[in-house]
Amino acid sequence: GVANPDTLVENVFSTFLYTGDNSTDTQTFNTGLNMSGDGGLIWFKSRSSTQVGRLIDTVRGTNESLIPSSSNASGGLGADGLTFLNNGFSIGWTGGDLGAANDYVAWSFKKASKFFDIVTYDGDGNAGRQISHNLGAVPGMILIKGLTNTEWSVYHRGVDGSAPEDYFLSLNGTAARGDNSGYWNDTAPTSSVFTVGNQNNVNGSSISYVAYLFGHDTSSDGMIQCGSFTDSSSGFTVDLGFEPQWLFTKRTDSTGNWEIVDVMRGFTADRGY
């Protein structure tokens, strides 16, 4: 057997395709991930309609969802909207955006060392605030959202070759990287903390936040990397050392959409989240 099952990607990540039946019946889906016991995040998106995506995690609970393309406050789905299971998830009749008669993709990220972690905190408005995490490694990407009407803020190690902590991106926007110390206080994250400034989108006084932390692991059994590349008319190659299952990209030097491709829909499928 494997000494640490969490070093197998199928035990920490899943891309799952399903079709909602828009009925009062509960639909149950086996992704093989113990979401109820180990915790994590599921990112939903309809593949057959313009229905907004939804992010639901085990820390804030199944009644609360966030829209990655919007600054809207956290909103409820109802008690039967989603249930995290020890081998996947189920969708109840109040699922709405999760269980309508559409085709969906569900990307599941289980909490695991060097792979993924979830942190919640209350802002205090003070620059240089340190937020502890349990990722067990230096984060490669951090997505932060205030649970009221604040913008999504993104830290990514690939946004600059020397000082990525000086820059931010907006998940619900298309703008190029911005330089503002109010986001990360121009301070690089560590394997135990990340630092926020006094910008309302990451550390406003009396605002509650959720942070999703993604690892960057170049070890021989690593399953996740966060980097950068430069496109060209002749194409390009990025050597990860493994076959990727999910790719999340954004142009950083100019306006550009966020795009997601995965092996289940095909790396040549229509993109976008």
Side-chain angles (χ1 to χ4, degrees):
V2 178
N4 180 8
D6 282 352
T7 60
L8 300 177
V9 67
E10 62 265 29
N11 291 332
V12 297
F13 173 76
S14 166
T15 296
F16 192 85
L17 308 181
Y18 72 94
T19 300
D21 62 10
N22 200 33
S23 75
T24 58
D25 298 327
T26 296
Q27 294 181 275
T28 299
F29 304 105
N30 185 351
T31 65
L33 301 187
N34 184 0
M35 301 298 286
S36 60
D38 297 325
L41 163 74
I42 306 181
W43 183 333
F44 295 88
K45 181 66 181 76
S46 172
R47 299 180 289 130
S48 57
S49 77
T50 57
Q51 203 172 61
V52 296
R54 296 279 180 179
L55 275 69
I56 306 174
D57 64 76
T58 57
V59 174
R60 296 181 306 116
T62 57
N63 285 347
E64 295 298 327
S65 70
L66 290 166
I67 300 173
S69 57
S70 171
S71 63
N72 287 357
S74 180
L77 288 173
D80 297 320
L82 171 70
T83 301
F84 291 104
L85 304 175
N86 63 5
N87 61 354
F89 63 94
S90 65
I91 302 295
W93 70 273
T94 56
D97 284 351
L98 310 183
N102 294 320
D103 295 329
Y104 292 88
V105 57
W107 299 297
S108 298
F109 299 84
K110 195 185 82 167
K111 292 174 67 174
S113 178
K114 298 183 181 180
F115 182 70
F116 180 71
D117 191 28
I118 303 171
V119 173
T120 56
Y121 63 96
D122 292 327
D124 63 11
N126 295 319
R129 167 89 179 278
Q130 290 188 333
I131 309 297
S132 298
H133 66 81
N134 294 306
L135 185 62
V138 177
M141 180 173 73
I142 307 173
L143 311 180
I144 295 180
K145 177 70 173 68
L147 303 185
T148 51
N149 292 24
T150 60
E151 302 292 315
W152 282 91
S153 303
V154 182
Y155 164 84
H156 197 288
R157 65 179 298 277
V159 79
D160 187 70
S162 58
E165 62 273 13
D166 290 356
Y167 300 93
F168 73 96
L169 293 166
S170 174
L171 181 61
N172 58 293
T174 60
R177 69 179 190 177
D179 184 346
N180 186 332
S181 63
Y183 283 82
W184 319 121
N185 205 50
D186 290 353
T187 304
T190 73
S191 59
S192 59
V193 301
F194 63 89
T195 304
V196 290
N198 57 6
Q199 219 282 343
N200 263 7
N201 290 334
V202 295
N203 190 29
S205 180
S206 301
I207 298 176
S208 296
Y209 297 86
V210 62
Y212 301 120
L213 288 76
F214 298 79
H216 173 67
D217 186 2
T218 59
S219 62
S220 60
D221 60 357
M223 299 174 292
I224 185 170
Q225 292 185 27
C226 300
S228 62
F229 60 87
T230 300
D231 199 357
S232 71
S233 59
S234 59
F236 59 94
T237 300
V238 178
D239 186 1
L240 300 174
F242 58 86
E243 182 178 348
Q245 295 192 20
W246 188 81
L247 183 63
F248 187 37
T249 59
K250 165 76 174 77
R251 184 173 180 177
T252 60
D253 63 344
S254 182
T255 299
N257 292 325
W258 293 88
E259 299 181 338
I260 296 175
V261 293
D262 60 67
V263 294
M264 295 299 292
R265 296 178 301 139
F267 268 41
T268 59
D270 291 339
R271 296 170 291 179
Y273 65 86

